[in-house]
Each structure stands twice: as structure tokens, then as C-alpha cells.
């Protein structure tokens, strides 16, 4: 380090220094261009110099007014600063003689750790004070159009690997240098002749691409910070590059590739720190020399030339290592980290807002862990970050995310946002506020009252940025009581179904033995009720006037419930449920239902001789039974024979398989309840006679039936057929078991009772359906459509004083600064999980929600622009998450795939993998919307509605 001692006699006065620097700065700012040199100087020394040159302005001015005294100025004048000392910006082991030169600390932040000075300004200060070391950096063109000026504070750091010798070293080189210059430097370092060397893009220690276009820049070749470069010695015999390297890093010709194993899958680590638009303190007007020119007191502001941003080595393009199925976490974190409001907040001093006393929070630990991770991701010059400390804190407070299993990215995001809110809640003592119903008051008044109550208890950066407000309207189906509330929301979860109808499959059984079961598929309203399903089935299976259908849900080969209430919502029936409909007589009173439950012996795996007992299987059959007459065991035997007759194996009986069309076999006679007088004492069943078309009696053996009586005891019905049976009076259903032995199964074909079809069989989207994209607006409209509450979430009507299945209508009332939209691709039920691969056509620009906001007093146009989204590829449990993120200061999209980051085109952002969308409000020039008309305002700047 060079240290120059200045003679006090030749040193200018503070006022002279200030004026000279001002004049030099004006010239430098006006003439800044690509290739100019800027110099780093420590913020600490610069601040001392500012105080020194400003000390004359702490006294009274000529007009008699008094300026604000400087905190550090006492009765004596401040001493002249010592020589420039940039040692705190560099590593202690740095040396100008090393291959890397003087190395800056990786985590320096402009305006906090250092400022940038034009060459003439640096030269002037250096001539007065001396010191060092000199840290010069070049101005380059950047941005999407390559017309924006930026200072490349962190040139590319590349890892050179020499093959086959195995030497390796790191070098610094500007991303604007050509491949030819990199080739020259590599040859110079390893003392090789240029004709002997080929260089390869060696991403992840694999030969990615041969770099043979010597005029192409490293930026154009997509070479990024800390990337590996393979320096391959040319085969002297063939004169060409050696054979390609296999995935394990070994050469195909057997030559050992002695390279150091990569510590991580290196990502793109280049990027611009936003000294102009996203500085650490959130001040977008960061030009220190503009401050010098305008007023002396504003010399304290961070410095930067207008139109020139700092080129950091990461600038938001730092990846996250996958610790083992943590892509769900990485993708969501990157989206939050690249939300500008959060980036500014967590890079400032947010610790004063941590709520350590909040019993709903995590004692501030989650916020501290996230803030630390965010700073690492925005710090320049870093390789991919391993988020282990954050995951450790996450697992402590959310055990469901512990371990290394795959999880839902949206569920993690919801927990993280809620946890950060509680840790950063500015309200230390939450007041109790009782909510009031609207009771006919204007919506605007009620909404503001609810929002004020919410803010009185919840006030954080998360609320400021992400929370909006619903209008929720409930209507009682009995008394028509209307209840209006206004509730906060953090994100919108939108359904992907594009239609208002739903296909449902139900298996229809005849109770009189006239037909085999038939599967009927019908179309019903998606938000309909059981009466809609029964009406559709009536038409599909040609129900007669004196018949009706008894609908039942089947689970584990038993009847789980009868769906007798016509107002039951169809939304309570899941796609993987199994439904059966039984034809029964319509006008029979005092009737119970006999449930015939099938059982068979199950044998131990690997031991065909040993059984584990009788287990239910197949689908129960139902038959009405009259309670007015005396029922004997023989009556029930006859009844069961009738039920099973279609499945009887005889030469004269042939039946088609279960149909899959929307029709069924017509019954010859309507089913009716069987009384004792109609019992067939010979236990016969009717079969078709091919000779004369009449009926013939087929003698059948007694069936092994066991009836469950009112004391839950089993009665053997295979003996004492004349004995009467006392039916339970406490239940509408009578349980009857039939045990199917292997011998009995030889007489009956019971496969018709097995494999009951699901209500809806999920199949992946066809190519045709993918060509007809579903609009995000359509999903939003389906979300806002009125629908009945599910039975598990019924509403207590204050007027009826009972719980009712009310209809619910949601409206958007207040929209947040950042709107998070969750596309509900995953469908969960008791036994199945489905993923919808539906392509959603979501807007990237001009997402206009003006007409969807119920608050018409807000005349501002509600425009949003997409800046980030998470993607999910693959199936349930084994899929992979990535993120597409737009760097706003570069106006360029990138794909974040754990530790690997790569630029993508905007047209590639949309895909069927999109899962969670992040929109940011757009500031419009025309803030008014009259008569619902949409203005053509621009959307280049963002603003807050709060």
C-alpha cells in the first residue's frame, strides 16, 4: 500500500477543496461514457472528508441566518483527514502481485461500505491525500438494450482448470472482454502456446460448449461469476481438441481429468446492484456529485453518477443450494427476495420493528433468519447460498417442513408470510375490538371500519405490501338474512375449472333382480345440490313413475351415508368418492332398508391355507322391506335370492357387463317391498327360458346369511326359515351379511359388485384441451362466483339461531401493493391427489382488475404487472419447483433453478407449470375511470395505494 504524506503548507483549505471537487464533478458527470474509469473509496473516509469541507458552514451565514450545526463539530475546527485508507474494502491477504490482484470483500454495498468517484475526482483527492490501495473499475454498457451505463465493481471471477495436467487457478476478467482475451490470459497464466489450447464452458464440471468464437464477449457467451472454464491442451497428434468429458468428469480416452471437485453447482452470479433505483437506504436519488453541485449540506448523501449503476457480482442473481428436496422453499424465497419492497426493508435496519413479545410470533427469530438470508442473496460476489440456518429456524417453528421431503411451495409461502408478519408486527399490545355487522350501513363505512380494526391489531411490512380486503356476503337459505363482513386476505387461491358444470358417475342398482348394475355418467351444475344429481340420474336410467332413487356414498365396501337431503351440496362429494343409487318403490310407507353386505375370507400373504377372517368386499345391495307384516327368515332368504339373481351362473342366464353409457337396462316391473305373503317357500329365482320365453324355477341352496338384530347380535338365517325376525325399531337400515365361500362363488359372478367407478376419473389434459388456454380472468370470475358453503363450514344464522348452509359471495374491495395469486393445481381428497396440468393464460403486463373491485368510489385504475412466479414440474410428491423472476433494474427475466440461474425470454415465462404468481401495482398517468371505461394510461412506474 502506498502512503503519500502531504505538506500542510501546500494543502488547500476546506473551502477550496470543496469548490475544486465540485467543478471537477460537473465535468466528470457530463462526460461519463463506456470505458471510463471509476474508483472505489471507503465510505468511512469519504464521510470524514465531507465533515471536514463542510465545517465552515456551521457558522452563521452572511444574511444573518444560522445553519444547522454539525454533530461532530465542536468549538475547534475539524482536523484534515489522514491519507486515504481503503484497507477495510479488501481482504487482508490481497496483493497486487497475485494472480487475482487486490480482492474486494464479497459483501460490499454501495453507499454503505464504499462510494464511486470519477477518475478526475479520484486523481484530485489522491494528489492531496495519497494513500490507497487504488481500486479502479471500468464503466460498461448494461441492461437489456445494452445502452445503460454501469460500473463493473466485481468483474467475473473464473475458475480455470487445466486438462490433463490438473492445475487450476482463479482469474478476474471483465464480462465485456472477449473470449479471445480469456484465451490469451489462460495461455499466459499456464505458459502455453495459443495453438495448443481450447477453452470450454465447463458448467458443473461438464463440457457445456466449446468457446471458439474469439470475438464474442463473455457476457454474450453467458459466462457468469465463479463459473468453471476448462483449459484443454490440444492433442499434438490430431491437432484438435481432446475427446469430450463424460458426466463423471473422466475423459473418454482414459486420460484422467484431475480437477478439484466443485463445491456447488455454480449459478449466474453476475448482476447490477441498484445504486440508482434500489440502494440500501431506499433513496433512489443517490448521486453524490449532484448533491455536491446543488448544496454543500447534501454532500452526506451516497454518491453515484446519474445514469450509472454499480455492477455487482450478484445483484439479486445469487442462487440457493438445494439441501435435499428444498426446491419448494428456494423458489418461494427467491420470489419474496426479489419483491422490491421487501428487498429495501430487510437491507435497512428493520431490527427495531421486531416484536419479541408477540405470542403468535417466533420471538423474532424467523424474521432475523429471513433478513440475513435476503442480505446474503443481494450481496455481490457470492456463490450460491446454502440456506441451512434459515431451514433450521423454519423446522423449529414449523415441524411440518422439517426433514427433507418435498412440500407444497404455496403452503410454505403462506406460513412464511404469516410468520414474518407476526415477528414484525408493530402493534405490541393488541386491543380487543368487537366486529359489527353492516346492518344496512353503506359498504364504504363498514369496510373502512373493518380495515381500521384490522390495522389496530396487525401493522407490519407484510400488511403494508401484501394484504388486501374482501367483501364477504352470506345469505341464509331459510330466512334470507344477509350478513356482510369485510375480511383481510394475503393471497388469492383461484380454481382452475373453466366451466360451471361437472361430470359425475354413479352406479345404479335394481332392487328387484331385473337388471345388472349400470354405471351412469351425468352432467350436473358444479355448485349444484343432490336434487340436481338425482334429477339427472332419473333421466339417464329411464326411471319409471312409481320408482325413485336412493343415493348412497360407499366407503370401504360399506354404506358411509345415505344422501337423502336434496339440499346437500355436490361440492361435498369428491372426485374419488364412490356413489351408488338404488331403485326403490316411491309410494311405500313404513319401510326400512335391508343392506346386504358381502364378505369373503382373506388369506395371509404367502400362506394360502391360513385365513385372517371374513372381510367386507364389493358393493352393498339395498332392498326395501315392509315393517307392517311379519318377516320370516325364509322371506329374507327369498329377497336376497332375488337381489342376486342377475349374477347367477347358469347356461340359460347371460348378462352383459356393467355399462359405461348413460343408459341402463329397463326393469320389467317396478321394485316393491316384499311381504311375508309373497315369500317363495321353495327358494326359487326367476330365470329366462329360451324355449318358450316363460319363467322356469331354478332351485337354489340356502344362502349363508347373518342378520344383525337390535342388540347387535348376529342371527343365522340359513336355518329355521319359518321363524319370524324382529327388525330393529331404532334404525332405518337393517344390516345383513352374506359370507361368500369359494363354492358359493362358483354359482355367482360377483365381479359386477367390485371395482365401483369413481365419481370422476382423473385423466391428464389432452393436447386438444391444452390448445384452448384458460384465462386468468376466468379463474378469478369462478373464484368470485356465489356458491353454497360446504357442510363442514356451515354458518350460524343470527336470525334463525341455527347453523345453515348459506350461500357465500366474495368481492374484491381493497387490493394490495403486491398481489399474490395461487393457482389451485393440486386436488387433495381422502385417498387421492391430482395435479391439473391446465395451461393458464395469465397476463404479464396490464393485468386490469378495475372492473373486479366492488368499491366503485375508488376511481384509480387497478393495473398490475407480473414480476415473479413459481413453477411446478412433474407429478405429486416427485415434482420440482423453479422460479421465473424479472429483475426490474435490468428489465430482464431469469430462471431460478436452485443454484443455477439463467436468462430467459419474456415469451417463455408462460407455461402450464405456473403455480404462484406475483403481481405488483402499476402507477397510471390517468387515475380516474369514468363509467367503467378503461383508460390507456402507461405502467412504467409503481406506487402505493395505502
Amino acid at each position: 500500500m502506498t502512503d503519500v504524506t502531504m505538506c500542510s503548507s501546500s494543502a488547500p483549505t476546506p473551502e477550496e477543496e470543496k469548490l475544486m471537487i465540485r467543478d471537477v464533478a460537473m465535468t466528470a458527470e457530463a462526460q461519463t461514457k463506456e470505458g471510463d474509469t471509476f474508483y472505489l473509496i471507503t465510505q468511512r473516509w469519504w464521510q470524514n472528508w465531507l465533515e471536514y469541507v463542510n465545517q465552515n458552514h456551521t457558522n452563521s451565514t452572511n444574511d444573518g441566518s444560522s445553519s444547522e450545526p454539525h454533530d461532530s463539530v465542536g468549538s475547534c475546527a475539524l482536523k484534515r483527514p489522514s491519507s486515504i485508507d481503503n484497507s477495510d474494502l479488501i481482504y487482508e491477504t490481497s496483493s497486487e502481485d497475485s494472480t487475482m490482484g487486490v480482492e474486494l470483500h464479497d459483501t460490499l454495498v454501495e453507499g454503505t461500505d464504499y462510494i464511486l468517484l470519477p477518475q478526475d475526482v479520484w486523481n484530485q483527492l489522491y494528489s492531496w491525500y495519497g494513500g490507497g490501495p487504488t481500486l479502479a473499475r471500468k464503466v460498461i454498457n448494461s441492461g437489456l438494450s445494452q445502452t445503460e451505463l454501469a460500473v463493473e465493481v466485481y468483474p467475473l471471477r473464473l475458475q480455470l482448470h487445466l486438462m490433463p495436467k490438473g492445475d487450476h487457478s482463479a482469474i478476474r476478467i471483465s464480462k465485456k472482454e472477449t473470449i479471445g482475451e480469456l484465451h490469451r490470459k489462460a495461455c499466459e497464466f499456464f505458459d502455453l502456446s495459443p495453438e495448443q489450447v481450447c477453452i470450454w464452458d465447463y458448467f458443473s464440471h461438464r463440457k457445456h460448449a466449446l468457446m471458439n468464437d474469439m470475438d464474442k464477449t463473455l457476457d454474450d457467451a453467458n459466462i457468469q461469476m465463479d463459473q468453471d472454464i476448462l483449459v484443454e491442451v490440444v492433442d499434438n497428434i490430431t491437432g484438435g481438441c481432446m475427446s469430450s468429458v463424460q458426466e463423471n468428469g473422466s475423459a473418454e480416452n482414459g486420460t484422467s481429468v484431475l480437477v478439484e471437485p466443485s463445491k456447488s453447482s455454480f449459478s449466474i452470479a453476475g448482476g447490477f446492484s441498484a445504486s440508482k433505483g434500489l440502494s440500501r437506504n431506499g433513496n433512489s436519488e443517490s448521486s453524490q456529485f449532484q448533491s455536491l453541485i446543488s448544496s454543500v449540506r447534501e454532500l452526506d448523501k451516497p454518491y453515484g453518477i446519474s445514469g450509472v449503476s454499480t455492477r455487482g457480482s450478484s445483484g439479486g442473481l445469487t442462487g440457493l443450494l438445494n439441501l435435499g428436496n428444498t426446491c419448494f422453499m428456494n423458489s418461494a424465497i427467491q420470489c419474496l427476495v426479489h419483491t422490491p419492497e421487501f428487498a429495501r426493508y430487510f437491507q435497512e435496519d428493520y431490527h427495531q420493528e421486531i416484536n419479541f413479545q408477540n405470542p403468535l410470533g417466533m420471538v423474532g427469530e424467523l424474521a432475523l433468519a429471513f433478513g440475513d438470508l435476503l442480505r446474503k442473496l443481494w450481496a455481490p460476489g457470492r456463490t450460491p447460498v446454502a440456506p441451512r440456518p434459515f431451514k433450521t429456524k423454519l423446522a423449529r417453528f414449523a415441524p411440518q417442513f422439517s426433514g427433507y421431503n418435498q412440500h407444497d411451495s404455496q403452503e410454505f409461502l403462506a406460513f412464511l408470510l404469516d410468520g414474518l408478519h407476526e415477528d414484525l408486527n408493530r402493534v405490541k399490545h393488541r386491543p380487543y375490538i368487537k366486529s359489527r355487522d353492516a346492518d344496512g350501513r353503506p359498504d364504504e363505512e363498514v369496510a373502512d371500519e373493518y380495515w381500521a380494526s384490522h390495522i389496530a391489531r396487525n401493522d407490519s411490512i407484510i400488511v403494508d405490501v401484501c394484504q388486501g380486503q374482501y367483501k364477504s356476503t352470506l345469505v341464509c337459505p331459510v330466512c334470507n338474512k344477509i350478513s356482510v363482513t369485510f375480511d383481510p386476505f394475503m393471497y388469492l387461491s383461484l380454481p382452475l375449472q373453466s366451466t360451471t358444470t361437472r361430470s359425475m358417475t354413479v352406479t345404479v342398482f335394481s332392487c328387484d333382480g331385473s337388471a345388472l348394475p349400470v354405471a351412469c355418467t351425468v352432467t350436473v351444475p358444479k355448485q349444484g345440490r343432490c336434487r340436481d344429481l338425482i334429477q339427472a340420474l332419473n333421466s339417464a336410467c329411464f326411471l319409471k313413475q312409481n320408482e325413485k332413487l336412493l343415493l348412497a356414498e360407499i366407503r370401504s365396501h360399506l354404506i358411509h351415508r345415505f344422501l337423502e337431503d336434496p339440499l346437500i351440496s355436490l361440492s361435498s362429494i369428491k372426485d374419488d368418492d364412490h356413489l351408488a343409487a338404488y331403485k326403490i318403490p316411491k309410494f311405500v310407507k313404513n319401510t326400512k332398508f335391508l343392506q346386504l353386505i358381502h364378505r369373503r375370507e382373506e388369506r395371509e400373504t404367502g400362506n394360502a391355507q391360513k385365513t385372517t377372517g371374513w372381510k367386507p368386499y364389493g358393493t352393498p345391495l339395498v332392498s326395501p322391506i315392509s315393517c307392517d307384516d311379519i318377516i320370516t327368515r325364509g322371506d329374507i332368504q327369498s329377497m336376497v335370492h332375488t337381489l342376486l339373481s342377475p349374477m347367477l351362473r347358469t347356461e340359460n342366464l347371460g348378462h352383459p357387463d356393467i355399462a359405461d353409457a348413460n343408459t341402463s337396462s329397463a326393469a320389467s316391473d317396478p321394485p316393491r317391498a316384499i311381504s311375508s305373503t309373497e315369500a317363495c317357500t321353495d327358494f326359487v329365482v326367476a330365470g329366462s327360458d329360451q324355449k318358450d320365453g316363460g319363467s322356469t324355477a331354478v332351485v337354489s341352496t340356502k344362502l349363508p346369511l347373518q342378520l344383525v338384530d337390535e342388540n347387535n347380535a348376529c342371527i343365522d338365517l340359513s336355518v329355521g326359515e319359518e321363524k319370524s325376525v324382529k327388525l330393529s325399531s331404532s334404525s332405518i337400515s337393517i344390516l345383513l351379511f352374506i359370507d361368500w365361500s369359494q363354492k358359493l362363488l362358483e354359482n355367482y359372478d360377483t365381479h359386477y359388485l367390485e371395482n365401483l367407478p369413481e365419481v370422476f376419473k382423473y385423466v391428464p389434459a389432452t393436447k386438444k384441451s391444452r390448445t384452448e388456454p384458460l384465462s386468468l380472468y376466468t379463474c378469478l370470475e369462478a373464484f368470485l362466483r356465489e356458491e353454497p358453503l360446504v357442510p363442514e363450514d356451515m354458518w350460524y344464522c343470527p336470525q334463525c339461531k341455527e347453523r345453515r348452509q348459506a350461500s357465500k359471495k366474495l368481492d374484491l374491495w381493497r387490493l394490495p401493493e403486491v398481489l399474490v395469486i395461487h393457482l389451485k393445481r393440486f386436488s387433495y381428497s381422502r385417498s387421492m391427489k391430482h395435479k391439473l396440468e391446465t395451461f393458464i393464460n395469465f397476463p404479464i403486463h396490464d393485468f386490469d382488475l378495475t372492473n373486479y373491485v366492488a368499491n366503485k368510489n375508488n376511481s384509480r385504475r387497478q393495473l398490475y404487472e407480473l414480476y415473479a412466479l413459481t413453477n411446478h414440474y412433474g407429478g405429486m410428491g416427485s415434482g420440482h419447483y423453479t422460479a421465473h423472476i424479472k429483475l426490474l433494474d435490468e428489465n430482464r427475466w431469469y430462471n431460478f433453478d436452485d443454484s443455477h440461474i439463467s436468462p430467459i425470454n419474456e415469451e417463455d415465462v408462460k407455461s402450464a407449470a405456473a403455480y404462484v404468481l406475483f403481481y405488483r401495482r402499476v402507477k397510471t398517468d390517468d387515475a380516474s375511470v369514468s363509467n367503467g371505461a378503461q383508460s390507456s394510461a402507461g405502467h412504467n412506474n409503481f406506487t402505493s395505494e395505502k
Side-chain angles (χ1 to χ4, degrees):
M1 181 184 301
T2 304
D3 194 352
V4 178
T5 303
M6 301 300 299
C7 297
S8 59
S9 59
S10 60
T13 66
E15 185 68 11
E16 290 173 339
E17 289 187 17
K18 176 190 63 180
L19 294 175
M20 293 176 66
I21 291 294
R22 182 194 64 185
D23 295 338
V24 172
M26 291 177 64
T27 304
E29 184 177 25
Q31 298 177 352
T32 299
K33 60 184 181 300
E34 182 183 10
D36 285 353
T37 303
F38 274 62
Y39 292 77
L40 279 75
I41 188 170
T42 176
Q43 173 69 25
R44 172 182 49 80
W45 189 94
W46 176 256
Q47 188 62 39
N48 290 337
W49 181 82
L50 290 178
E51 294 175 356
Y52 169 69
V53 299
N54 281 324
Q55 63 180 327
N56 288 347
H57 290 259
T58 60
N59 301 321
S60 298
T61 58
N62 294 335
D63 60 3
S65 62
S66 177
S67 63
E68 180 183 353
H70 199 285
D71 292 340
S72 61
V73 176
S75 58
C76 301
L78 291 176
K79 293 183 180 180
R80 179 184 178 84
S82 59
S83 60
I84 299 171
D85 182 11
N86 284 334
S87 59
D88 55 351
L89 301 181
I90 64 174
Y91 288 104
E92 293 181 358
T93 57
S94 291
S95 171
E96 295 181 357
D97 298 327
S98 69
T99 57
M100 293 285 288
V102 177
E103 273 291 282
L104 298 177
H105 284 289
D106 285 341
T107 57
L108 299 180
V109 178
E110 185 192 2
T112 300
D113 302 309
Y114 70 91
I115 62 167
L116 291 167
L117 302 178
Q119 183 171 9
D120 291 341
V121 176
W122 167 263
N123 290 341
Q124 189 66 68
L125 287 174
Y126 190 83
S127 69
W128 292 334
Y129 296 94
T134 300
L135 305 174
R137 294 295 185 266
K138 294 290 186 181
V139 175
I140 62 174
N141 282 327
S142 64
L144 191 63
S145 60
Q146 294 292 306
T147 57
E148 301 172 6
L149 294 179
V151 178
E152 193 180 34
V153 174
Y154 288 91
L156 292 177
R157 178 175 54 218
L158 303 180
Q159 307 292 330
L160 301 183
H161 301 273
L162 180 63
M163 189 181 80
K165 188 176 180 181
D167 292 344
H168 58 89
S169 182
I171 65 168
R172 285 280 189 184
I173 185 172
S174 171
K175 70 181 300 180
K176 292 301 179 180
E177 290 287 2
T178 63
I179 292 176
E181 179 63 12
L182 175 62
H183 186 273
R184 186 192 66 78
K185 284 179 176 289
C187 293
E188 178 180 332
F189 178 79
F190 291 117
D191 195 19
L192 299 171
S193 173
E195 295 77 18
Q196 293 181 284
V197 172
C198 291
I199 58 175
W200 295 79
D201 180 346
Y202 200 39
F203 180 78
S204 294
H205 282 200
R206 293 178 177 87
K207 284 186 175 181
H208 185 67
L210 178 64
M211 301 170 65
N212 56 1
D213 187 349
M214 297 302 173
D215 296 326
K216 194 174 187 178
T217 67
L218 299 178
D219 192 18
D220 292 336
N222 199 24
I223 302 301
Q224 304 297 332
M225 181 67 69
D226 286 314
Q227 193 160 324
D228 292 294
I229 300 296
L230 181 64
V231 181
E232 185 179 40
V233 178
V234 172
D235 188 341
N236 291 327
I237 298 177
T238 63
C241 288
M242 299 171 67
S243 55
S244 62
V245 178
Q246 298 174 352
E247 286 190 359
N248 59 6
S250 61
E252 291 177 353
N253 62 0
T255 304
S256 176
V257 183
L258 302 177
V259 295
E260 182 181 353
S262 175
K263 296 180 181 178
S264 65
S265 298
F266 289 118
S267 69
I268 292 180
F272 290 92
S273 66
S275 63
K276 181 180 178 183
L278 188 59
S279 63
R280 187 183 181 99
N281 60 7
N283 180 9
S284 62
E285 298 177 357
S286 59
S287 174
Q288 291 195 4
F289 278 99
Q290 288 179 338
S291 302
L292 265 171
I293 297 167
S294 60
S295 70
V296 176
R297 288 303 302 165
E298 292 184 355
L299 280 167
D300 297 345
K301 292 186 178 180
Y303 167 71
I305 294 297
S306 177
V308 181
S309 62
T310 302
R311 180 57 165 169
S313 62
S314 56
L317 286 174
T318 301
L320 285 166
L321 291 177
N322 193 320
L323 306 179
N325 286 325
T326 56
C327 58
F328 76 94
M329 181 180 76
N330 292 348
S331 59
I333 287 176
Q334 290 287 14
C335 290
L336 290 184
V337 163
H338 287 85
T339 299
E341 292 83 356
F342 293 152
R344 284 196 294 267
Y345 179 84
F346 284 100
Q347 289 186 84
E348 295 174 356
D349 185 15
Y350 66 94
H351 300 81
Q352 59 185 351
E353 292 196 341
I354 294 180
N355 191 335
F356 295 100
Q357 291 79 37
N358 188 356
L360 301 178
M362 290 82 174
V363 205
E365 293 188 23
L366 185 66
L368 289 170
F370 179 79
D372 181 62
L373 180 58
L374 181 144
R375 292 188 179 203
K376 289 179 181 179
L377 292 175
W378 275 104
R382 297 191 65 89
T383 55
V385 176
R388 288 188 182 88
F390 176 82
K391 190 177 187 304
T392 300
K393 295 294 183 184
L394 177 70
R396 175 181 175 185
F397 296 107
Q400 65 269 30
F401 297 119
S402 61
Y404 297 94
N405 294 324
Q406 184 70 280
H407 296 280
D408 190 319
S409 179
Q410 186 273 333
E411 291 180 359
F412 163 75
L413 179 68
F415 169 82
L416 180 57
L417 286 174
D418 186 65
L420 290 176
H421 160 66
E422 298 296 352
D423 269 3
L424 298 169
N425 196 348
R426 304 177 185 110
V427 179
K428 301 301 188 289
H429 304 285
R430 297 185 177 185
Y432 172 74
I433 302 175
K434 186 177 181 179
S435 60
R436 300 167 53 200
D437 203 348
D439 290 331
R441 291 182 294 157
D443 284 347
E444 292 76 13
E445 176 185 339
V446 180
D448 290 344
E449 179 183 285
Y450 269 85
W451 188 251
S453 299
H454 176 66
I455 295 300
R457 296 172 53 82
N458 302 276
D459 184 15
S460 69
I461 181 65
I462 306 299
V463 176
D464 296 342
V465 175
C466 292
Q467 286 199 358
Q469 190 179 28
Y470 287 133
K471 175 186 176 183
S472 177
T473 305
L474 291 171
V475 180
C476 178
V478 178
C479 68
N480 293 323
K481 163 70 176 176
I482 299 176
S483 174
V484 178
T485 57
F486 292 84
D487 305 311
F489 69 87
M490 192 90 74
Y491 50 85
L492 303 179
S493 288
L494 305 187
L496 301 192
Q497 289 78 6
S498 58
T499 65
T500 59
T501 59
R502 175 187 182 188
S503 293
M504 300 184 74
T505 298
V506 181
T507 304
V508 180
F509 295 84
S510 297
C511 299
D512 62 348
S514 60
L516 285 166
V518 57
C520 292
T521 300
V522 294
T523 301
V524 294
K526 185 176 296 181
Q527 303 302 331
R529 300 179 184 267
C530 274
R531 62 190 177 194
D532 300 310
L533 176 59
I534 292 175
Q535 183 178 354
L537 290 172
N538 289 347
S539 301
C541 62
F542 305 107
L543 206 66
K544 296 184 178 181
Q545 287 294 108
N546 58 345
E547 293 177 333
K548 68 178 181 178
L549 291 177
L550 178 63
L551 201 61
E553 181 183 344
I554 310 299
R555 288 191 197 174
S556 302
H557 311 292
L558 302 173
I559 294 179
H560 174 68
R561 60 170 175 164
F562 285 108
L563 302 174
E564 295 181 286
D565 186 352
L567 296 180
I568 293 177
S569 174
L570 294 181
S571 61
S572 66
I573 303 174
K574 309 303 180 185
D575 285 345
D576 60 337
D577 285 343
H578 301 269
L579 296 184
Y582 302 96
K583 292 182 180 180
I584 60 174
K586 182 184 293 185
F587 305 109
V588 178
K589 296 182 179 180
N590 197 18
T591 302
K592 291 183 179 294
F593 297 106
L594 190 70
Q595 294 185 32
L596 181 64
I597 300 172
H598 311 277
R599 298 192 302 187
R600 63 182 174 188
E601 283 187 304
E602 290 192 358
R603 304 185 183 278
E604 287 187 355
T605 304
N607 189 349
Q609 303 300 321
K610 189 172 182 179
T611 63
T612 59
W614 295 93
K615 303 292 183 182
Y617 89 104
T619 306
L621 297 177
V622 173
S623 180
I625 183 169
S626 175
C627 298
D628 294 333
D629 302 311
I630 298 175
I631 304 298
T632 66
R633 298 181 183 183
D635 296 336
I636 297 178
Q637 283 276 349
S638 178
M639 187 184 308
V640 174
H641 274 294
T642 301
L643 286 173
L644 300 178
S645 61
M647 296 179 291
L648 186 63
R649 299 179 190 268
T650 66
E651 293 182 356
N652 296 327
L653 292 177
H655 300 284
D657 290 342
I658 293 180
D660 58 1
N662 292 341
T663 59
S664 66
S665 301
S668 57
D669 295 302
R672 50 195 174 91
I674 299 178
S675 64
S676 60
T677 57
E678 296 171 301
C680 182
T681 56
D682 292 330
F683 307 117
V684 298
V685 293
S688 61
D689 192 327
Q690 293 181 347
K691 294 181 179 179
D692 55 11
S695 298
T696 179
V698 180
V699 178
S700 176
T701 59
K702 294 186 178 70
L703 296 172
L705 303 177
Q706 296 188 57
L707 182 73
V708 180
D709 65 9
E710 57 185 358
N711 298 319
N712 288 328
C714 289
I715 303 174
D716 186 0
L717 302 185
S718 61
V719 294
E721 60 271 13
E722 298 299 331
K723 290 184 178 181
S724 62
V725 176
K726 185 177 181 180
L727 302 179
S728 173
S729 59
S730 60
S731 175
I732 193 174
S733 298
I734 309 298
L735 297 183
L736 179 67
F737 295 103
I738 178 170
D739 295 331
W740 290 91
S741 63
Q742 192 61 39
K743 183 177 180 180
L744 188 61
L745 286 172
E746 294 175 359
N747 298 327
Y748 290 90
D749 185 2
T750 61
H751 85 272
Y752 300 106
L753 303 176
E754 302 173 13
N755 303 319
L756 198 65
E758 296 178 354
V759 168
F760 178 77
K761 183 66 175 178
Y762 171 79
V763 293
T766 62
K767 183 176 180 181
K768 179 180 179 181
S769 65
R770 288 196 297 268
T771 61
E772 301 171 355
L774 178 62
S775 168
L776 185 62
Y777 290 104
T778 305
C779 298
L780 180 61
E781 290 164 2
F783 173 74
L784 298 176
R785 188 177 296 117
E786 182 178 1
E787 62 180 14
L789 296 174
V790 296
E792 296 81 8
D793 192 27
M794 291 200 296
W795 172 61
Y796 180 81
C797 176
Q799 191 162 292
C800 294
K801 306 299 182 182
E802 290 187 22
R803 301 186 67 84
R804 301 294 190 191
Q805 192 175 11
S807 61
K808 183 176 183 178
K809 174 72 170 68
L810 289 178
D811 291 291
L812 301 178
W813 187 267
R814 185 190 307 266
L815 294 180
E817 189 69 17
V818 169
L819 180 62
V820 181
I821 295 180
H822 164 225
L823 302 177
K824 297 174 71 173
R825 292 199 175 277
F826 302 123
S827 174
Y828 300 91
S829 57
R830 286 178 294 274
S831 60
M832 298 292 293
K833 297 179 181 179
H834 300 316
K835 180 191 174 186
L836 298 175
E837 300 285 355
T838 310
F839 175 77
I840 305 298
N841 186 18
F842 51 90
I844 296 178
H845 306 285
D846 296 330
F847 183 34
D848 195 344
L849 297 177
T850 306
N851 294 331
Y852 295 93
V853 178
N855 183 9
K856 300 307 178 184
N857 285 351
N858 188 348
S859 59
R860 174 176 295 172
R861 191 177 179 203
Q862 306 294 325
L863 273 184
Y864 284 82
E865 181 167 334
L866 187 74
Y867 71 94
L869 69 152
T870 63
N871 303 292
H872 182 270
Y873 301 93
M876 299 288 295
S878 60
H880 180 60
Y881 287 96
T882 67
H884 292 337
I885 296 173
K886 182 179 183 180
L887 293 194
L888 300 180
D889 59 333
E890 290 191 18
N891 193 32
R892 189 174 186 181
W893 283 91
Y894 289 89
N895 177 48
F896 286 70
D897 187 355
D898 289 328
S899 59
H900 180 54
I901 305 171
S902 56
I904 59 173
N905 297 322
E906 185 172 274
E907 55 266 25
D908 297 328
V909 169
K910 295 184 181 182
S911 74
Y915 186 43
V916 181
L917 310 175
F918 290 75
Y919 283 93
R920 196 160 182 257
R921 187 190 300 281
V922 175
K923 179 181 179 181
T924 58
D925 297 332
D926 183 4
S928 63
V929 178
S930 59
N931 300 322
Q934 298 180 353
S935 67
S936 58
H939 53 87
N940 295 322
N941 300 314
F942 298 97
T943 187
S944 174
E945 189 191 32
K946 305 296 179 188

